């Protein structure tokens, strides 16, 4: 294992919620919860102000509302978050060719591979500059951990939250890990954690005391050896620049179980079209079509069909998904549907379904797909004014939906650079009101690549977290 803390882990702070606060001046400093708002919705992200009330990610939304009834509850805008993520990942790739994204808001970077850092001092400078650049470009904050391995860098970034930088100095790793819960180690999930707890092992130091042979006896050879090495702070996992995409999929969970077979079929077609749009957006095609159905009793069925060659034709994917649906009993009700494509390639074999049927079928144009696939009831539902999403009014300009119901929609008119805006209510069919694209959080900032020794003068107003943030080492 390397001896210098040149592995960097970046974790954006409460990413979705912070992006919403940055976008909406009236929500800055207030509790914000982002996630599914239906009866079966879960929390995707909670702002730090909401976490004070005990709200956290993966919590049922109903429980979150009971804990923080006065918080702002918003539906995610994934396209918006992805655009911000691409800006952040672009900054990381300027530091090194070895960037390993884990999600939209989290990534590892090998600074030494990029020649950006070679010792603790240069690594600290690179981390500080990255935080300043992220703030300048996006208006958001991220926490940075620096260490000699991926495991320790991730632990450091967690200690740095929110809006800080922590360096784990070489030689201090064992002392740092010793009192921590076994759950801090990669590969220790709830099941392994419970197994170790029943054996009287609760901390990392207790893993070391138990010894490698006991770990192997408890967990098996591969897992036991690996976990013991991690407990000794040995982590040889490299930063991997490219992770191969194995599948592309979409799914929806329904607030009310779907019983009507025609509606189920139409939903499957709609999901197939969404999946193909995502597939094409990634420049991919695939051979295996996968259908996922979760029924009323929470039982989940997965069915798949492999084609003769890769395709990105929406008609082919729709027909394959419908064939798979024919073998699924949905009479008791369906609570979740999903369509995916795997066996990915970067080329297509056109008209596979037509070849199998012995005739040519012209693929539907993308703008025609939604008309074919989406049932009227679903299309109407998708045109509802969604809480947190962007709108534009012919007279009042840009705003976002605070809520809707009883034929009316309430909109707050503000932009990322404005003061908190005024609220107005309209009829849902008001012709002057229309959906809009999100506005950028900041203007392009020429000083984004400025020296890390100081925060750029053009830094935007603080929109989340502290202006400076912590910069510490962990002995």
């Amino acid at each position: 294992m390397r001896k210098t803390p040149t592995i960097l882990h970046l974790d954006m702070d409460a990413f979705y919620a912070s992006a919403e606060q940055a976008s909406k001046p009236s929500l800055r400093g207030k509790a914000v919860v982002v996630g599914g708002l239906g009866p079966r919705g879960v929390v995707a992200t909670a702002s730090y102000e909401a976490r004070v009330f005990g709200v956290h990610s993966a919590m049922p939304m109903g429980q979150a509302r009971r804990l923080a009834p006065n918080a702002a509850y918003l539906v995610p805008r994934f396209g918006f978050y992805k655009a911000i993520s691409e800006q952040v990942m672009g900054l990381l790739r300027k530091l090194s060719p070895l960037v390993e994204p884990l999600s939209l808001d989290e990534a590892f970077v090998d600074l030494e591979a990029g020649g950006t850092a070679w010792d603790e001092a240069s690594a600290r400078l690179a981390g500080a500059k990255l935080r300043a650049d992220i703030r300048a470009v996006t208006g958001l904050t991220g926490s940075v951990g620096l260490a000699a391995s991926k495991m320790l860098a991730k632990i450091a970034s967690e200690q740095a939250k929110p809006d800080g930088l922590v360096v784990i100095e070489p030689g201090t790793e064992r002392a740092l890990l010793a009192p921590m819960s076994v759950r801090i180690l990669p590969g220790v999930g709830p099941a392994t954690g419970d197994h170790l707890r029943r054996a009287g092992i609760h901390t990392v130091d207790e893993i070391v005391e138990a010894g490698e042979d006991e770990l192997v006896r408890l967990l098996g050879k591969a897992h036991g050896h690996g976990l013991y090495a991690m407990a000794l702070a040995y982590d040889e996992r490299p930063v991997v620049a490219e992770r191969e995409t194995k599948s592309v999929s979409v799914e929806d969970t329904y607030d009310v179980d779907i019983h009507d077979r025609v509606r189920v079929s139409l939903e499957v077609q709609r999901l197939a079209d969404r999946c193909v749009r995502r597939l094409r957006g990634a420049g991919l095609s695939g051979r295996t079509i996968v259908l996922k159905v979760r029924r009323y009793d929470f039982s989940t069925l997965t069915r798949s069909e492999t084609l003769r060659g890769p395709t990105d034709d929406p008609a082919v994917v729709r027909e394959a998904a419908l064939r798979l649906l024919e073998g699924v009993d949905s009479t008791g009700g369906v609570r979740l549907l999903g369509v995916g494509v795997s066996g990915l390639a970067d080329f297509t074999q056109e008209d596979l379904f037509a070849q199998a049927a012995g005739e040519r079928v012209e693929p539907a144009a993308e703008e025609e797909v939604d008309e074919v696939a989406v049932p009227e009831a679903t299309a109407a539902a998708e045109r509802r004014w969604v809480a947190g999403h962007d709108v534009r009014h012919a007279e009042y300009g840009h705003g976002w939906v605070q809520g809707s119901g009883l034929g009316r929609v309430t909109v707050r008119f503000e932009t990322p650079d404005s003061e908190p805006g005024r609220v107005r209510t309209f009829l849902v069919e008001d012709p002057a009101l229309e959906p809009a694209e999100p506005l950028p959080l900041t203007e392009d900032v020429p000083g984004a690549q400025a020296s890390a020794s100081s925060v750029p003068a053009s830094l935007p107003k603080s929109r989340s977290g502290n202006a400076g943030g912590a910069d510490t080492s962990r002995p």
Side-chain angles (χ1 to χ4, degrees), residues 262-281:
V262 173
R263 170 78 189 283
V264 173
S265 298
L266 290 167
E267 287 292 308
V268 167
Q269 292 181 68
R270 181 176 63 83
L271 289 165
D273 292 334
R274 278 175 52 195
C275 184
V276 169
R277 286 198 292 272
R278 183 172 295 182
L279 194 70
R280 287 181 170 182

Side-chain angles (χ1 to χ4, degrees), residues 21-190:
Q21 289 175 317
S23 177
K24 302 171 172 64
S26 59
L27 298 184
R28 293 171 195 167
K30 298 181 180 178
V32 174
V33 180
V34 180
L37 302 189
R40 293 171 177 164
V42 297
V43 176
T45 308
S47 69
Y48 286 98
E49 295 86 354
R51 296 181 192 187
V52 171
F53 298 99
V55 180
H56 58 77
S57 60
M59 172 182 285
M61 191 60 76
Q63 183 181 355
R65 288 186 183 275
R66 290 191 293 273
L67 292 172
N70 296 321
Y73 288 86
L74 308 176
V75 175
R77 298 184 293 165
F78 289 113
F80 177 53
Y81 310 145
K82 184 179 180 182
I84 300 172
S85 175
E86 288 172 351
Q87 291 179 303
V88 173
M89 296 301 165
L91 292 173
L92 296 182
R93 291 187 179 97
K94 290 181 178 180
L95 296 176
S96 172
L98 292 185
V99 176
E100 183 178 337
L102 304 179
S103 61
L104 290 178
D105 62 336
E106 185 180 2
F108 287 109
V109 184
D110 188 331
L111 298 176
E112 189 173 359
T116 309
W118 48 92
D119 58 13
E120 181 184 337
S122 58
R124 187 185 296 275
L125 283 173
K129 181 178 186 300
L130 173 65
R131 292 177 58 234
D133 288 350
I134 289 173
R135 191 177 183 88
V137 170
T138 70
L140 304 180
T141 64
S143 295
V144 168
L146 289 158
S149 70
K150 290 167 68 172
M151 175 183 71
L152 293 166
K154 185 172 175 64
I155 291 172
S157 70
E158 189 64 31
Q159 292 183 335
K161 282 187 168 294
D163 190 20
L165 183 152
V166 167
V167 180
I168 297 180
E169 298 176 355
T172 67
E173 299 93 344
R174 289 279 300 277
L176 173 72
L177 288 174
M180 292 185 172
S181 166
V182 295
R183 291 292 301 275
I184 201 72
L185 299 178
V188 181

